[in-house]
Amino acid sequence: MPQADSPRPYARAQKPGRPATLDRDRIVAAVLLQDFESVTMQGVARTLGVAPSALYRWVRNRDELLDLASVEMGRRIVPDRPPTEDTCREWLVDLARGIRREFTAVPGFAARILTGMHREAGHGPVERAVVEAFRLAGHPPDRARQYWYVFGTAVIGWLAAEQSEFPADPPMDFEVLIEVLLRGTATDG
């Protein structure tokens, strides 16, 4: 007869329907694993191993899931330090490399962040930071915004070509793109 105080041979299983502990980081990570065109609350809940009702305690709907992902991706690509007059060009290089790193890690995200209702959540802060970097480099605000359009479109277009395995001879060199972009946005002073 076993003793009453002997340890249990296995851990107690969670009751069905009882949600695992969720947090924002786990939810965002699960969203970033999804196909952005078909993200659903149910799919994210399944990835997290929880009931959809547990996810609804954190976000109201699919749009909020995509906003969370957009904000996180924006946070990941913007360099930690703000640009200054002395560092704005280096800051733009770091930003371009961050865009490449993060958008390559999450295929399909580039198109999602540039269009649709989730644009402001993640893209807005990135755009404002880049426009400020160009402004600090000596460009007037309206020109700085246009430079952002060219810079962002060129970097994302380059990534699309890379991801489609565009046949280039010699192979495409991302550092050359950055060099050309920075030369094209240099001030006369």
Side-chain angles (χ1 to χ4, degrees):
M1 182 167 184
Q3 294 179 349
D5 60 350
S6 65
R8 294 170 58 109
Y10 57 89
R12 203 166 123 168
Q14 278 189 328
K15 293 180 182 178
R18 185 179 220 166
T21 304
L22 287 180
D23 62 38
R24 180 190 175 284
D25 292 340
R26 284 191 65 212
I27 293 168
V28 168
V31 173
L32 293 176
L33 292 173
Q34 308 294 311
D35 171 11
F36 278 90
E37 294 305 313
S38 59
V39 154
T40 63
M41 294 289 283
Q42 293 75 18
V44 172
R46 190 172 29 260
T47 298
L48 290 166
V50 300
S53 60
L55 190 54
Y56 280 106
R57 292 183 190 125
W58 284 84
V59 293
R60 289 184 299 224
N61 53 38
R62 176 182 186 271
D63 291 334
E64 283 190 13
L65 284 175
L66 293 172
D67 281 348
L68 281 176
S70 292
V71 168
E72 177 60 18
M73 288 298 283
R75 187 195 65 74
R76 289 180 184 183
I77 65 173
V78 173
D80 291 334
R81 69 201 184 292
T84 66
E85 285 183 36
D86 295 331
T87 65
C88 58
R89 294 176 69 76
E90 176 186 314
W91 188 92
L92 287 165
V93 170
D94 290 347
L95 176 87
R97 289 178 180 149
I99 291 171
R100 183 181 192 210
R101 179 188 64 246
E102 296 303 328
F103 286 12
T104 299
V106 184
F109 187 77
R112 172 58 71 181
I113 198 170
L114 289 176
T115 61
M117 65 190 306
H118 310 289
R119 182 176 187 274
E120 180 55 30
H123 181 81
V126 174
E127 181 176 331
R128 286 187 290 279
V130 177
V131 168
E132 178 63 8
F134 282 121
R135 195 193 64 68
L136 289 168
H139 301 288
D142 60 331
R143 211 60 176 162
R145 183 166 303 285
Q146 290 298 319
Y147 282 0
W148 158 240
Y149 297 151
V150 171
F151 187 88
T153 302
V155 170
I156 292 170
W158 186 278
L159 296 177
E162 277 185 336
Q163 291 174 3
S164 70
E165 298 178 14
F166 180 78
D169 184 23
M172 295 172 65
D173 184 340
F174 190 74
E175 297 304 313
V176 171
L177 170 70
I178 293 171
E179 180 183 324
V180 168
L181 289 172
L182 291 180
R183 274 191 194 159
T185 58
T187 59
D188 292 334

